[in-house]
Amino acid sequence: MIGIVSIVLAVLQVSSAACDTNKYANSTPIELLQAYVQINTTTYNDLTPAVEFWTALAELADVSIETHELVEGFPILVLKWPGADSSQQSIMLNSHMDVVPASLEDGWTYDPFLGIIDNGIIYGRGTQDMKSVSIQYYSALRRLKENNVTLLRDVYMTLMPDEEVGAESGMIPFLKTDAFAAMNVGVELDEGTPYPLPMIALFYQDKVVWQIQVDCHAVSGHGSSFPATNNTATGKCRNVVDRLFEFRDEQYEIAATALPTAAGGYTSLNLNKLNGGTANNVVPSVVSLVFDIRLSTTLNEVQFDAQLREWISEAGDNITLTYILKNQQSPATVVNSTNPYYVAISEAAEELGITILPTVPPGSTDARHVRNAGYPAFGFSPMPNTELLLHAVNEHLAVSVFNDGIDIYEEIITRLANIPADSTTTDHSAYLYSTAT
Ligand SMILES: [Zn+2]
């Protein structure tokens, strides 16, 4: 627990009388999304304007907001909608405030930080990933509150500062705080992705990331010297690449025939950096390679680590392996009738007439940290019939899809937060299982 270093900067509980002067008092949900997109929250930017935005929205909804700054400059926000019985495990709706960089020079039709609406479509960074989802959570909860609907369980909205760069100052330390423990979380919802078909993906596990650097050392020499290939840094690197690409080809074969919902069934591997050499006429003494690897959910991490080391040792002597990133494989959330949280989401989908598809995505989200901490978590972004434009130029979302998503969350949140007290166990591990063998 690192609760002692958690600084609660502000706890606001304000009366609705204060709302008269609130600048967002008459804003529709899509106008709130526009206003949020207009706050440039590119990772490492000052998030103070975003904190002020959410403080104003909490005030409008007459709910409390806490700011936890575990690392200076990286605020974590927690908005609490109390249920009828706060002793029950709560529902955590997570999203991240930060977005990846964007600029007009990249080829955007509209300024990515204006939230321009053209022909029923809102354009801007974060319209898919994932400011839309934050506003949808909020709008659904506020509508329920305004309709005097009291849910059984507490619902929390958490907003993270640095998901796009690995969550080292956000979700990862937050999960170790007393503040998180006090939330008594039963299940977490996190981001999903759009789907170009009339269905919504429900992520129940994320692939984890390993990034490795391989340095091949050899004796330097004049450009006119002619050492044996296996005695050069580049020759050793070639051997490393050959072995890893043989594995890549095997995995590519699996990926090529896998369903889009089955990205957990293969390991992706890309050689993303090659560095080496000092001059055109000098044989280099060191060449380094950086590989980005996304592990299959069924891959045994210990065996794969041993396999990597074996390939590298076969490639020659004086080759070193360094892990830049080595995420731990996360368990999967149970997606069958034994998990009441999954049942609640499935029943909501049935009621709404939407199709939900349990999926393992090619990438990863903050939900992997939540699952690693032992809590069931689902990735879900209600964006059916939508082109996937996460991190892309001209990221956009149909206003109708955005508004429908609020209705979808209203139903899902209601069902999750009204799961009867005796239907869930406090033993979270009952809703998680390991798929690695
Ligand atoms: Zn995201």
Side-chain angles (χ1 to χ4, degrees), residues 96 129-130 163-164 191:
H96 57 84
D129 184 13
M130 64 175 301
E163 188 276 341
E164 297 293 1
E191 64 191 314

Side-chain angles (χ1 to χ4, degrees), residues 17 26 50 57 133 147 153 164 193 204 270 376 392 434:
N26 298 313
L57 293 198
V133 171
N147 290 335
R153 295 161 186 258
E164 297 293 1
T193 56
Y204 58 93
N270 287 305
S434 170

Side-chain angles (χ1 to χ4, degrees), residues 204-205 297 329-336 338-339 358 360 371 376 428-436:
Y204 58 93
Q205 187 177 24
T297 55
Q329 189 80 275
S330 98
T333 302
V334 171
V335 282
N336 62 34
T338 63
N339 181 351
V360 174
R371 295 189 194 103
H428 300 106
S429 62
Y431 307 132
L432 291 169
Y433 62 93
S434 170
T435 54

Side-chain angles (χ1 to χ4, degrees), residues 95-96 98-100 128-131 163-164 190-192 364-366 381 390-391:
S95 58
H96 57 84
D98 64 324
V99 294
V100 294
Q128 292 192 0
D129 184 13
M130 64 175 301
K131 288 178 169 174
E163 188 276 341
E164 297 293 1
D190 213 299
E191 64 191 314
S364 56
T365 73
D366 267 350
S381 293
L390 308 178
H391 302 193

Side-chain angles (χ1 to χ4, degrees), residues 289-361:
L289 309 168
V290 174
F291 296 89
D292 182 303
I293 307 168
R294 310 294 170 114
L295 272 58
S296 157
T297 55
T298 56
L299 199 65
N300 181 299
E301 291 162 285
V302 176
Q303 284 173 11
F304 188 61
D305 172 79
Q307 180 67 75
L308 283 173
R309 290 178 193 283
E310 190 182 319
W311 283 328
I312 285 163
S313 85
E314 285 168 2
D317 58 359
N318 286 325
I319 306 176
T320 58
L321 166 67
T322 312
Y323 278 96
I324 300 166
L325 193 63
K326 195 180 187 187
N327 280 171
Q328 187 195 338
Q329 189 80 275
S330 98
T333 302
V334 171
V335 282
N336 62 34
S337 62
T338 63
N339 181 351
Y341 299 114
Y342 175 70
V343 172
I345 294 172
S346 300
E347 287 176 352
E350 203 168 314
E351 173 73 27
L352 292 157
I354 57 173
T355 305
I356 283 180
L357 208 58
T359 301
V360 174

Side-chain angles (χ1 to χ4, degrees), residues 80-232:
K80 179 179 182 182
W81 270 261
D85 184 355
S86 289
S87 71
Q88 297 304 315
Q89 288 178 300
S90 68
I91 311 303
M92 173 176 173
L93 307 176
N94 185 58
S95 58
H96 57 84
M97 291 184 277
D98 64 324
V99 294
V100 294
S103 87
L104 264 178
E105 290 97 75
D106 299 336
W108 283 71
T109 308
Y110 303 106
D111 186 320
F113 296 103
L114 282 185
I116 298 283
I117 297 175
D118 181 10
N119 204 18
I121 292 170
I122 180 167
Y123 291 82
R125 181 58 84 221
T127 52
Q128 292 192 0
D129 184 13
M130 64 175 301
K131 288 178 169 174
S132 50
V133 171
S134 315
I135 300 295
Q136 286 169 323
Y137 288 154
Y138 172 81
S139 301
L141 285 164
R142 198 165 141 205
R143 200 190 290 166
L144 287 165
K145 191 162 191 253
E146 284 170 359
N147 290 335
N148 294 315
V149 175
T150 304
L151 304 172
L152 175 69
R153 295 161 186 258
D154 291 344
V155 179
Y156 290 93
M157 265 185 76
T158 50
L159 292 124
M160 297 294 152
D162 65 337
E163 188 276 341
E164 297 293 1
V165 291
E168 295 289 340
S169 305
M171 185 63 91
I172 293 172
F174 181 65
L175 289 167
K176 296 175 184 150
T177 62
D178 292 337
F180 172 74
M183 285 165 58
N184 187 25
V185 170
V187 70
E188 189 238 20
L189 291 197
D190 213 299
E191 64 191 314
T193 56
Y195 212 71
L197 297 170
M199 51 185 63
I200 304 173
L202 183 73
F203 298 165
Y204 58 93
Q205 187 177 24
D206 290 358
K207 293 170 82 165
V208 295
V209 191
W210 283 10
Q211 286 168 352
I212 58 167
Q213 179 169 329
V214 181
D215 294 308
C216 303
H217 299 269
V219 177
S220 177
H222 190 276
S224 63
S225 63
F226 199 37
T229 306
N230 282 340
N231 289 337
T232 62

